[in-house]
């Protein structure tokens, strides 16, 4: 019984993780214009060392601490979506991350592994 339950939990976890990747994968090869029409304008537009564009989408998420109703004054983090656009205007990579710093402080030169990503 325990083995069956463990296998079921593992299957659910694997499915939920793969659905996130499939959501991002559906945008690969799509145009920048289609993305902006669907998601709206990005918070910032950055350029990498090969002059490809990086569209930055950001949402600030506020968390409650100790069931305190702190709201905007409470702790927060930023949820980022980086959408990499090649010179032909097509999406070739999407990345997500959570950070404590605001979008104004992001510099394309400081993005981890940016120099190794090339447009297709």
């Amino acid at each position: 019984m325990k083995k069956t339950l463990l296998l079921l939990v593992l299957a659910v976890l694997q499915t939920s993780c793969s659905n996130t990747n499939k959501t991002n994968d559906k945008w690969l090869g799509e145009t920048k214009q289609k993305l902006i029409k669907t998601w709206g304008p990005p918070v910032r537009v950055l350029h990498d060392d090969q002059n490809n564009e990086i569209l930055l989408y950001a949402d600030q998420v506020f968390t409650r601490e100790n069931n305190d109703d702190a709201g905007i004054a409470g702790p927060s983090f930023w949820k980022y979506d980086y959408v990499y656009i090649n010179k032909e205007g097509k999406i070739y990579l999407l990345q997500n991350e959570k950070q404590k710093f605001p979008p104004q402080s992001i510099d394309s030169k400081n993005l981890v592994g940016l120099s190794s990503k090339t447009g297709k």
Side-chain angles (χ1 to χ4, degrees), residues 15 17-18 24 37 46-47 54 57 63 69 86 92 95 116:
T15 303
C17 291
S18 65
N24 285 344
K37 186 176 181 180
L46 306 168
H47 292 87
I54 305 165
Y57 290 88
T63 59
D69 210 4
N86 64 19
Y92 69 91
Q95 288 187 317
S116 65

Side-chain angles (χ1 to χ4, degrees), residues 1-13:
M1 180 68 182
K2 288 180 183 180
K3 287 182 183 180
T4 305
L5 183 59
L6 179 62
L7 288 174
L8 180 62
V9 168
L10 288 174
V12 169
L13 284 174

Side-chain angles (χ1 to χ4, degrees), residues 3-5 10-11 15 21 32 39 50 57 61 67 70 74 80 83 85 87 91 97 102 105 116-117 119:
K3 287 182 183 180
T4 305
L5 183 59
L10 288 174
T15 303
N21 291 337
K32 172 184 167 182
W39 287 19
Q50 297 175 0
Y57 290 88
V61 179
N67 291 330
Y80 290 108
V83 182
I85 310 289
K87 293 174 187 166
I91 299 169
E97 72 177 9
S105 66
S116 65
K117 295 176 178 64

Side-chain angles (χ1 to χ4, degrees), residues 27-42 44-47 51-57 83-92:
W27 285 103
L28 296 178
E30 291 292 343
T31 64
K32 172 184 167 182
Q33 290 79 12
K34 184 173 181 179
L35 179 83
I36 291 174
K37 186 176 181 180
T38 304
W39 287 19
R44 290 193 59 200
V45 177
L46 306 168
H47 292 87
N51 208 26
N52 295 313
E53 286 185 312
I54 305 165
L55 305 182
L56 174 63
Y57 290 88
V83 182
Y84 294 80
I85 310 289
N86 64 19
K87 293 174 187 166
E88 290 80 32
K90 303 279 184 165
I91 299 169
Y92 69 91

Side-chain angles (χ1 to χ4, degrees), residues 44-113:
R44 290 193 59 200
V45 177
L46 306 168
H47 292 87
D48 67 8
D49 54 355
Q50 297 175 0
N51 208 26
N52 295 313
E53 286 185 312
I54 305 165
L55 305 182
L56 174 63
Y57 290 88
D59 288 316
Q60 191 171 17
V61 179
F62 295 97
T63 59
R64 289 186 176 184
E65 191 172 281
N66 300 328
N67 291 330
D68 186 13
D69 210 4
I72 293 176
S76 66
F77 65 90
W78 289 87
K79 180 185 160 288
Y80 290 108
D81 292 307
Y82 301 98
V83 182
Y84 294 80
I85 310 289
N86 64 19
K87 293 174 187 166
E88 290 80 32
K90 303 279 184 165
I91 299 169
Y92 69 91
L93 180 66
L94 282 96
Q95 288 187 317
N96 312 94
E97 72 177 9
K98 295 177 185 175
Q99 293 291 339
K100 291 286 186 182
F101 52 83
Q104 298 85 349
S105 66
I106 294 178
D107 183 3
S108 64
K109 295 174 187 165
N110 296 332
L111 291 176
V112 176

